Amino acid sequence: MSPRAAGATVHELSRIGLLATLPGETIARLAEQMRREQIDSGAGVVSEGEPGDRFYVVLSGMLAVSQATRGAQSVLRPGDYFGEVALAMNIPRTASVRALTPVTVASCDRETFDEFVRPLFADDEPA
């Protein structure tokens, strides 16, 4: 019997720098909440100005980040993440993200982000 298709495996999530500091049990619980998606080359994932409702980690492939006023900004690769700004600051998406190659991402909703991921950003703030 094959295991059910998890959103992401603990191994995959532990390779995301931001999430690598989480205890194994926490990563396992987060992995269960993640939704795995295959995205075709050229497809948009998020659009600047839209409400943000999911946080994404890149498992494979490359994506382009762009802003309407500033053009191309960066390229996301496996191990990178996006979507945190809109969720953490409760603002619309600050950039558009489009797949440059076939891409696999894992994403979670706002509730899961708030429980597992948001505290990681709080740790980055100066004391």
Side-chain angles (χ1 to χ4, degrees), residues 18 21-22 116-127:
L18 173 70
T21 59
L22 291 172
F116 294 100
V117 184
R118 182 188 294 271
L120 298 173
F121 291 103
D123 290 347
D124 290 343
E125 295 176 10

Side-chain angles (χ1 to χ4, degrees), residues 43-125:
V45 183
V46 300
S47 297
E48 185 175 354
E50 289 184 347
D53 60 350
R54 298 194 74 76
F55 168 74
Y56 297 85
V57 295
V58 182
L59 302 177
S60 69
M62 296 189 331
L63 303 106
V65 179
S66 63
Q67 292 177 306
T69 57
R70 298 171 64 198
Q73 294 297 302
S74 62
V75 173
L76 300 173
R77 293 177 169 81
D80 291 333
Y81 55 88
F82 62 97
E84 76 284 359
V85 174
L87 293 176
M89 299 178 70
N90 205 23
I91 58 174
R93 296 283 187 203
T94 59
S96 294
V97 178
R98 177 172 300 279
L100 292 172
T101 66
V103 172
T104 302
V105 297
S107 67
C108 65
D109 60 18
R110 179 183 296 274
E111 183 178 330
T112 303
F113 175 85
D114 287 345
E115 180 178 351
F116 294 100
V117 184
R118 182 188 294 271
L120 298 173
F121 291 103
D123 290 347
D124 290 343
E125 295 176 10

